[in-house]
Amino acid sequence: MTRFQCFLVTVIMLVLTSGCATAPRHKFLPYSEGLPSGLQWKCNPGFSDINGDGLLDVAAVPRKGDGARVWINGGGGSWTPASNGLLDQNSCGGGVDFGDINHDGLVDLAVGDHCQGIFVYTGDGQGNWTLASEGLPKFQADDIALADFNGDGHLDLLGCSSADQGIRMFLGDGAGRWRHEASTGLPTEDDCHEIALGDYNEDGVIDMAATMIERPMVWISDGRGRWTASIDGIPRPRTGGEYWGVSAGDVNQDGHLDLAFGRTLGGPEIFLGDGKGSWRGAHDGLSAVVGSAWGVGLGDIDRDGHPDLLVSGKRSLQELGDVYGLFFFKGDGQGGWQIAEKSGLPVGAEPQSWGVSLADLEGDGPLEVGCCFGSGGMNLPPFIPNREEILSLLKGATSGPRGSVRVWKLK
């Protein structure tokens, strides 16, 4: 065989083998110097540029901790605490969101705490905070969202509670005062874990998706503070309490927002939207890779023009203990997914994973990945274990809380 023939054979083999690859290689690097370890960070990390330097900063809420905390992004993966003025109180985890509530051009912070309630703080642009929560009751919020829901030009609040308090809306006056709006059409005696905002019927008004105790739900807003359920095509599971995380994005790039849900007893699920309030399931094969999904995030992580899916959870319901991790599914823009193995993200060796968030922290294109972890004592699975499983958990119980707020950057 001549040298030219050998060259041709080599080229052909490379083409053939590259066509059989399961997914392109992606490498995420740790980006978390200065972020906390220890405690149980039961939350979705929230990102915003609080000091105007062009870098996104982060906030999170711990379970069995001292309340919400904020860290300023110093660039290069370094973080500095910036929580002066935030209340020190026994927190139980929850949610955070950012926005300008008092129209001063500076970023403010809203905190939902499952034990203590909802709190709003105005920011000074330097990491100092002032309480602005007049009128907010002790509503046990697991997640929270800021937006103008009644069209008066001021940011309002949606709180989501897993303590059988449903979803409540609080109207803001632009000066840090709040009023509960009772007649909304939203449930007030149900359990809710997470909410995701988006214009799901394409009328220019912000709507809401949520993970409720019985099923995933979508509500369409009239822009004046009234909501109507829109769940055609989203089935009711056989048992309640299965869903946790929710995220919105255009998965198949047809111009309509779609939804990803984290199903703790069955893996991630995708529902394609038609822009009119109807949905179609399109998640075949995802649960074969991740059998218990908690947090979900949709976004073009690698900036190839197609939305990707980031899932926190574990591979199998049969796995017990600190076996959680993060799974990166590369999207093809048509609703198909490929798992990116050996991505650099932790897989199968972390304590309980909770929420995930995606954001371009440095404005350079690719999305960074943030996740909260945390468990202590026994890491109970999201179902009732049998006697043998209980004994196994007791035998392997840890002595204290293990958890962290962590960020990874795509290389």
Side-chain angles (χ1 to χ4, degrees), residues 81-96:
S83 302
N84 183 42
L86 299 183
L87 294 175
D88 291 325
Q89 53 190 353
N90 296 324
S91 55
C92 292
V96 296

Side-chain angles (χ1 to χ4, degrees), residues 370-391:
C371 184
C372 290
F373 298 93
S375 62
M378 291 187 300
N379 188 12
L380 293 174
F383 55 89
I384 303 299
N386 59 33
R387 181 175 180 276
E388 288 73 20
E389 289 170 334
I390 292 176
L391 293 175

Side-chain angles (χ1 to χ4, degrees), residues 309-323:
L309 174 65
L310 200 286
V311 179
S312 69
K314 59 182 180 179
R315 292 191 181 273
S316 171
L317 288 172
Q318 306 307 314
E319 295 180 327
L320 303 177
D322 293 341
V323 293

Side-chain angles (χ1 to χ4, degrees), residues 251-252 282 284 286 306-308 329-338:
V251 166
N252 57 351
D284 290 347
L286 290 175
H306 304 314
D308 306 307
F329 292 90
K330 182 172 174 57
D332 64 4
Q334 300 178 11
W337 308 96
Q338 290 180 311

Side-chain angles (χ1 to χ4, degrees), residues 265-338:
L265 297 182
E269 293 186 349
I270 303 293
F271 290 91
L272 304 179
D274 67 355
K276 300 177 182 179
S278 295
W279 308 89
R280 175 172 59 87
H283 36 262
D284 290 347
L286 290 175
S287 62
V289 181
V290 180
S292 177
W294 291 76
V296 290
L298 285 172
D300 185 4
I301 296 175
D302 56 6
R303 283 298 187 261
D304 68 348
H306 304 314
D308 306 307
L309 174 65
L310 200 286
V311 179
S312 69
K314 59 182 180 179
R315 292 191 181 273
S316 171
L317 288 172
Q318 306 307 314
E319 295 180 327
L320 303 177
D322 293 341
V323 293
Y324 292 81
L326 292 173
F327 303 86
F328 173 36
F329 292 90
K330 182 172 174 57
D332 64 4
Q334 300 178 11
W337 308 96
Q338 290 180 311

